[in-house]
């Protein structure tokens, strides 16, 4: 559905997207993750035909140049920055953008109420956008990208500022879209969302793709081993000099990394230690991110 | 085309919700038209030279002397007409205040031998009352200076006035013929200028709406939609044009209903409205690209517009301005819009006479629009 090759874009001397390539299959959801300034938005805008690339090719939604209007008809983009008319109501915004995609009459009304329902805003549809909270505006921003029900959706940080309940509703609804064959490109700083939503994830930094794989594979390759956090009841038992246990000891806590922690725990038990709690932390995208970029995302 | 109307509909809805914009586009022009109209029924003093054309049918030494002294007056800018028709056409176009005809018999009349008939004739638009009043005075003055007095009185100029002989030559004023019966009020001056202020208000409003569109990110979404660049800009142009036309129509309606205006030919009037609006839509497009932020565009826009308005005759009547200002004003679209509007609202310009201002306005509109689009294009990618 999307095929990108050798894509490059610079702003003056600053290279925003540096020779990236990826494919997204129909019905797949594809995550773009990366720290601020990694080039996620620039990539989205190139895909949407809002920017002309300096080099490389883009095939999207059955066309090979999204700056052509026939190709753009099949794309919906929710920009990172709100793109709404503050002095129109939510419904008027959605109606207007729907009309631009050639919808009219009963079909338009139907699409608009579906899109507003999708983001849970149908009760506020008559209110002017200027009276909306940030999260509500963010949701309307998404609704306006969906209103023409395009086969390809480009969602640039669609959850920024959305409260947890609404976020769950949105995630649920987006998964539903995916199940109905929509192709989704999703950029986010919220790794948890990307983990739960995206089939595959590209980690971007400084305009380059550092890694591109299914989430599980990424975690396996770059996530590092599991972290085990043990809280002991009482003081540490005496340990034999040459009986090495991994990790660090700090008062009554014991931290270590292992893919297979059970033998160590058993040995500790054998020394007479009692465990108040044992926590095993599986690495996620966060760890992948940290390993690859040396930075932590916002979330 | 449907997309353009969708876009324009959105802009007009937004306009109706913006009180400040409504004020500048619709209310302010009405205030200007009514206030100025009420204020300046009065005379004009200390002005630039009045443009006048003359034709000498007496062609005597006395008539030439008379013309010479008229020419020497700093208050008059005299030009000889080749034929009466040329002069009248110039009057109809508003280029000169009057065509002064020196009738045969002027010499006799100046010598006090002309009987009662008037030897001077001003063919002028009676509606230009202030200018015509001044001109009458100046012509009379020149005539008095050239009166051939009987010997003893000539030696004693101070006695002239006292003696009152021979009497001041009579001047006939002939309305430049127009098929229509036109009521003349000061509002006919002030309404065109009010109309132009409304156009200026629309330009400012829509130039700002372009900037807001960019800042609010909606321009991005428009570009992401299946629209061509031309359609997006066409939508903006269309909405601005419609707002201009609505403002002109509102003032026309008020003028006709309450201020005794009776415009003639609806065809030329519509053409003047349409082309003035086109000219200002082009300006809007260019001004909207003069800066990136709202403040930059608003201040640059108003500065440009104020200068244009000042030199173009929207602040004071054109004839009151010093000559050099009038010259500079030739470049101002405000001047040409006022010419077209005045011309069709009450001067009764013919289609042919209207061609020049209309062409200028359309040409300016197209050039500015193209320039604005070019700048935008360069910025957007
Ligand atoms: N219009 C522009 N002009 C100049 N530089 C730009 C422009 N847009 C983006 N950049 C630069 O390109 C780089 C990538 O920006 P981009 O917006 O794509 O990052 P991002 O991954 O979306 O970041 P964020 O997480 O903050 O949204 C940045 O260094 C940015 O400064
Ligand atoms: Mg971004």
């Amino acid at each position: 559905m999307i095929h990108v090759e050798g894509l490059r874009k610079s702003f003056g001397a600053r290279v925003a997207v540096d020779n990236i390539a990826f494919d997204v299959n129909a019905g797949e959801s594809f995550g773009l993750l990366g720290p601020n300034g990694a080039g996620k938005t620039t990539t989205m805008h190139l895909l949407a035909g809002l920017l002309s690339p300096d080099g490389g090719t883009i095939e999207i939604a059955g066309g090979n140049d999204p700056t052509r209007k026939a190709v753009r008809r099949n794309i919906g983009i929710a920009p990172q920055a709100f793109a709404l008319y503050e002095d129109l109501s939510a419904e008027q915004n959605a109606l207007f953008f729907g009309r631009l995609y050639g919808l009219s009459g009963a079909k338009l009304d139907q699409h608009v109420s579906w899109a507003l329902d999708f983001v849970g805003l149908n009760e506020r549809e008559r209110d002017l956008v200027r009276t909306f909270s940030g999260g509500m505006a963010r949701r309307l921003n998404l609704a306006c990208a969906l209103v023409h029900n395009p086969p390809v959706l480009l969602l640039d940080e669609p959850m920024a500022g959305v409260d947890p309940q609404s976020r769950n509703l949105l995630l649920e609804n987006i998964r539903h879209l995916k199940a109905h064959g929509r192709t989704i490109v999703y950029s986010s700083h919220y790794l948890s969302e990307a983990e739960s939503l995206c089939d595959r994830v590209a980690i971007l930094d400084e305009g380059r793709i550092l890694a591109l794989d299914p989430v599980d594979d990424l975690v396996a390759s770059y996530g590092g081993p599991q972290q085990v956090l043990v809280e002991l009841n009482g003081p540490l038992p005496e340990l034999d000099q040459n009986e090495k246990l991994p990790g660090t000891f700090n008062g009554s806590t014991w931290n270590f990394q292992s893919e297979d922690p059970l033998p160590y725990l058993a040995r500790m038990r054998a020394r007479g230690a009692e465990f108040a709690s044992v926590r095993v932390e599986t690495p996620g995208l966060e760890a992948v991110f940290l390993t690859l970029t040396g930075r932590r995302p916002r979330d | 085309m449907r997309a353009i109307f969708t876009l324009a509909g959105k802009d007009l809805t937004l306009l109706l919700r913006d009180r400040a914009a409504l004020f500048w586009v619709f209310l302010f022009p009405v205030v200007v038209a009514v206030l100025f109209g009420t204020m300046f029924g009065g005379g004009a003093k200390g002005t630039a030279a009045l443009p006048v054309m003359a034709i000498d049918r007496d062609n005597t030494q006395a008539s030439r002397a008379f013309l010479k002294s008229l020419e020497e007056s700093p208050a008059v800018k005299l030009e000889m007409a080749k034929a009466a028709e040329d002069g009248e056409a110039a009057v109809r176009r508003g280029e000169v205040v009057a065509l002064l005809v020196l009738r045969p018999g002027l010499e006799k009349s100046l010598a006090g031998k002309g009987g009662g008939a008037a030897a001077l004739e001003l063919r002028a638009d009676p509606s230009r009352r202030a200018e015509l009043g001044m001109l009458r005075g100046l012509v009379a003055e020149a005539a008095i200076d050239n009166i051939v007095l009987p010997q003893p009185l000539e030696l004693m100029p101070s006695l002239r006035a006292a003696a009152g002989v021979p009497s001041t030559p009579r001047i006939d004023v002939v309305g430049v013929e127009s098929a229509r019966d036109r009521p003349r009020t000061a509002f006919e001056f002030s309404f065109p200028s009010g109309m132009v202020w409304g156009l200026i208000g629309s330009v400012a409003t829509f130039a700002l709406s372009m900037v807001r569109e960019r800042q609010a990110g909606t321009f991005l979404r428009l570009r992401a939609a299946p629209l061509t660049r031309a359609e997006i800009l066409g939508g903006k142009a269309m909405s601005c044009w419609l707002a201009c036309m609505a403002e002109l129509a509102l003032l026309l309606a008020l003028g006709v209903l309450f201020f005794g205006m009776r415009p003639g030919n609806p065809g030329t009037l519509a053409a003047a409205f349409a082309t003035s609006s086109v000219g200002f839509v082009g300006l809007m497009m260019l001004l909207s690209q003069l800066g990136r932020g709202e403040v930059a565009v608003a201040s640059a826009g108003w500065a440009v517009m104020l200068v244009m308005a000042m030199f173009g005759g929207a602040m004071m009547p054109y004839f009151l301005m010093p000559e050099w200002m009038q010259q500079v004003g030739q470049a101002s679209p405000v001047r040409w819009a006022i010419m077209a509007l005045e011309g069709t609202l009450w001067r009764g310009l013919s289609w042919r006479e209207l061609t020049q201002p209309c062409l200028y306005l359309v040409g300016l509109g197209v050039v500015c629009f193209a320039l604005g689009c070019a700048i935008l294009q360069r910025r957007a990618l």
Side-chain angles (χ1 to χ4, degrees), chain A residues 40-42 80 156-157 187 189:
Chain A
K40 304 182 293 295
T41 297
T42 307
Q80 179 176 8
D156 198 356
E157 302 197 30
S187 91
H189 295 273

Side-chain angles (χ1 to χ4, degrees), chain A residues 72 82-83 85 87 92 141, chain B residues 17 213 216 221 223 225 227:
Chain A
R72 288 204 302 269
F82 294 140
Y85 294 101
D87 287 316
Q92 284 172 320
N141 200 43
Chain B
R17 292 192 178 164
E213 194 107 47
R221 213 193 268 282
R223 290 204 294 120
L227 300 170

Side-chain angles (χ1 to χ4, degrees), chain A residues 49-104:
Chain A
L50 295 169
L51 293 172
S52 308
D54 296 338
T57 53
I58 300 174
E59 282 166 37
I60 185 167
N64 56 8
D65 179 9
T67 61
R68 287 186 34 243
K69 86 178 199 183
V71 179
R72 288 204 302 269
R73 189 176 296 280
N74 296 322
I75 302 174
I77 179 168
Q80 179 176 8
F82 294 140
L84 301 166
Y85 294 101
E86 295 227 305
D87 287 316
L88 296 182
S89 69
E91 188 185 31
Q92 284 172 320
N93 268 285
L95 283 168
F96 170 68
F97 289 116
R99 277 192 202 106
L100 290 187
Y101 286 85
L103 296 173
S104 60

Side-chain angles (χ1 to χ4, degrees), chain B residues 127-286:
Chain B
S127 68
R128 302 178 75 167
R129 233 176 283 127
E131 295 161 289
L132 200 51
M134 281 175 66
L135 186 60
R136 261 187 103 121
L138 292 164
V139 169
E141 217 171 278
I144 290 170
D145 282 347
N146 287 283
I147 282 173
V148 185
L149 293 162
Q151 280 303 328
L153 283 174
E154 183 154 39
L155 295 173
M156 292 174 281
S158 57
L159 288 181
R160 271 188 201 174
V165 210
S167 58
T168 309
R170 279 186 45 204
I171 305 169
D172 275 351
V173 174
V174 179
V176 170
E177 55 279 40
S178 153
R180 295 176 293 125
D181 158 42
R182 296 172 296 183
R184 297 304 179 200
T185 69
F187 294 110
E188 285 178 337
F189 289 113
S190 66
F191 268 70
S193 113
M195 285 173 167
V196 168
W197 279 107
L199 296 179
I200 291 176
S202 303
V203 168
T205 300
F206 281 87
L208 275 188
S209 98
M210 284 285 287
V211 178
R212 289 213 187 103
E213 194 107 47
R214 205 158 56 216
Q215 288 184 333
T218 46
F219 189 61
L220 195 84
R221 213 193 268 282
L222 297 183
R223 290 204 294 120
L227 300 170
T228 60
R229 199 66 65 94
E231 282 172 323
I232 297 177
L233 299 178
K236 200 51 95 176
M238 170 75 83
S239 53
C240 181
W241 188 82
L242 288 173
C244 288
M245 291 299 275
E247 180 263 329
L248 294 173
L250 170 73
L251 260 75
L252 176 66
L254 289 178
V256 169
L257 288 176
F258 303 112
F259 297 96
M261 293 177 65
R262 242 181 275 164
N265 185 343
T268 52
L269 188 66
F273 277 19
T275 54
S276 303
S277 301
V278 166
F280 280 77
V281 166
L283 269 183
M284 178 280 289
M285 192 63 207
L286 182 56

